[in-house]
């Protein structure tokens, strides 16, 4: 009995000590400040809604109107009448396919540009010409090639996700310290070994930065593409609900799109930490 009491006292003291250390962080940084920011956005939305209440719902009204979508995100009630969860999955599928195809092409191209001056001189003008082109400008070309909405959307995502990854990969390869490469030449390391043992590890932070930017842009673009192509997806859902003047569902879609983008970026950041064994910097 005495041993159990002593153990409980030790656990209580240890728990109190841990709480005293983590309490300021939890209250000030991790929980309090984000909640304060969200409350500011909600209050701003509420004020604008009250000033234009004929068209825009207040936050409680939007919550009540969207309860069916929130509580039943994966319902199926006939052709085209799907829950917002299915629409989100459809959009994510297009984004991930186009993004992964873009990464497969962009990373080797970035290595080629970073390691070869002739390749840089040949490809850099092409990149600089096509990089500023709006992603939606590629949609008519994609529709002419594929004649279908789904592969056209994936093609636009593919083109969109190329440029940040190519540029950051080339920058990472070109930024490898020259001393490392000189030592590798002295040791007569084969070219493939220099790439795998020196250039690749040193370039990984740059590569992941490019991937995170590319994925964010791809998720941004898919909403606009689906608005134009229609079909099943979170972008078409936004346009369809706006056509019905149902702003409550539009606000729900905006929240879902933003939260999904945050999760995608967080996932790539964790993958970067796992691969590089280094913590990602807070941006």
């Amino acid at each position: 009995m005495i041993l159990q009491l002593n153990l409980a006292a030790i656990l209580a003291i240890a728990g109190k000590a841990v709480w005293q250390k983590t309490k300021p962080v939890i209250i000030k940084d991790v929980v309090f400040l984000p909640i304060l920011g969200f409350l500011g956005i909600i209050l701003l939305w509420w004020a604008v809604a009250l000033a234009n209440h004929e068209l825009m719902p207040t936050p409680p009204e939007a919550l009540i109107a969207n309860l069916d979508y929130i509580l039943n995100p994966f319902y199926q009630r006939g052709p085209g009448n799907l829950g917002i969860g299915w629409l989100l999955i459809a959009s994510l599928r297009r984004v991930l396919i186009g993004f992964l195809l873009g990464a497969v092409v962009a990373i080797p191209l970035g290595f080629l540009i970073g390691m070869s001056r002739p390749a840089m001189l040949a490809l850099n003008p092409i990149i600089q010409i096509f990089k500023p082109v709006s992603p939606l400008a590629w949609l008519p070309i994609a529709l002419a090639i594929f004649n279908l909405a789904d592969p056209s959307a994936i093609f636009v995502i593919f083109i969109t996700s190329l440029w940040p990854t190519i540029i950051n990969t080339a920058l990472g390869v070109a930024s490898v310290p020259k001393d490392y490469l000189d030592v590798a030449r002295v040791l007569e390391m084969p070219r493939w070994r220099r790439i795998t043992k020196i250039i690749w590890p040193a370039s990984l932070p740059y590569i992941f930065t490019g991937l995170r930017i590319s994925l964010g842009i791809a998720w941004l673009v898919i909403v606009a593409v689906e608005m134009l192509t229609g079909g099943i997806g979170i972008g078409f859902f936004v346009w369809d609900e706006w056509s019905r003047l149902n702003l409550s569902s539009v606000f729900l879609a905006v929240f879902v799109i933003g939260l999904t983008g945050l999760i995608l970026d967080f996932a790539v950041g964790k993958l970067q930490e796992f691969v590089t064994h280094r913590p990602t910097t807070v941006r």
Side-chain angles (χ1 to χ4, degrees), residues 8-280:
I10 293 172
L11 291 175
I13 293 172
K16 185 177 180 181
V18 172
W19 171 247
Q20 290 297 329
K21 291 181 179 180
T22 58
K23 180 180 177 181
V25 176
I26 293 175
I27 293 178
K28 292 182 181 179
D29 297 335
V30 179
V31 176
F32 179 71
L33 292 179
I35 289 177
L36 192 63
F38 276 113
L39 284 177
I41 294 296
I42 291 174
L43 289 175
L44 178 63
W45 171 12
W46 209 321
V48 174
L50 291 176
N52 191 20
H53 201 211
E54 298 81 9
L55 182 62
M56 186 175 295
T58 62
E61 292 171 345
L63 178 63
I64 293 172
N66 288 309
L67 276 179
D68 186 35
Y69 286 119
I70 296 171
L71 298 177
N72 304 290
F74 293 100
Y75 69 73
Q76 294 181 337
R77 297 169 184 168
N81 189 6
L82 302 175
I84 197 168
W86 295 116
L87 306 179
L88 183 62
I89 289 174
S91 297
L92 279 172
R93 182 186 66 83
R94 297 186 185 104
V95 167
L96 292 179
I97 292 174
F99 167 74
L100 291 175
L101 290 174
V104 168
V105 173
I107 293 175
L109 274 179
F111 264 82
L112 180 63
I113 293 171
M115 296 179 64
S116 170
R117 178 173 171 78
M120 187 272 291
L121 293 174
L123 296 177
N124 185 60
I126 299 173
I127 295 171
Q128 298 306 322
I129 290 173
F130 288 133
K131 181 169 64 72
V133 176
S134 171
L136 296 183
W138 293 102
L139 184 58
I141 299 173
L143 289 171
I145 295 172
F146 299 103
N147 203 27
L148 290 171
D150 198 55
S152 299
I154 293 173
F155 176 80
V156 173
I157 296 301
F158 166 77
I159 290 292
T160 300
S161 60
L162 281 178
W163 318 122
T165 303
I166 290 176
I167 293 170
N168 279 273
T169 301
L171 178 62
V173 172
S175 300
V176 175
K178 191 174 182 297
D179 293 341
Y180 294 176
L181 300 177
D182 291 339
V183 171
R185 292 190 188 96
V186 171
L187 296 176
E188 297 182 351
M189 292 178 65
R191 187 177 181 85
W192 66 268
R193 192 169 179 82
R194 270 182 276 165
I195 293 174
T196 57
K197 296 297 183 181
I198 298 176
I199 300 175
W200 172 257
S203 304
L204 276 177
Y206 292 88
I207 294 172
F208 273 103
T209 298
L211 291 174
R212 293 176 77 171
I213 295 172
S214 293
L215 186 57
I217 295 174
W219 184 240
L220 177 74
V221 168
I222 192 63
V223 177
V225 170
E226 289 176 346
M227 284 182 179
L228 296 176
T229 58
I232 298 174
I234 194 70
F236 178 71
F237 174 79
V238 172
W239 187 252
D240 188 50
E241 294 302 311
W242 162 247
S243 301
R244 302 177 185 179
L245 296 180
N246 187 6
L247 276 185
S248 296
S249 297
V250 173
F251 278 113
L252 173 65
V254 168
F255 176 78
V256 170
I257 292 167
L259 183 62
T260 304
L262 178 65
I263 294 172
L264 289 174
D265 184 74
F266 177 80
V268 177
K270 287 300 178 183
L271 179 62
Q272 177 179 350
E273 290 182 358
F274 176 77
V275 173
T276 62
H277 305 289
R278 301 174 187 172
T280 54

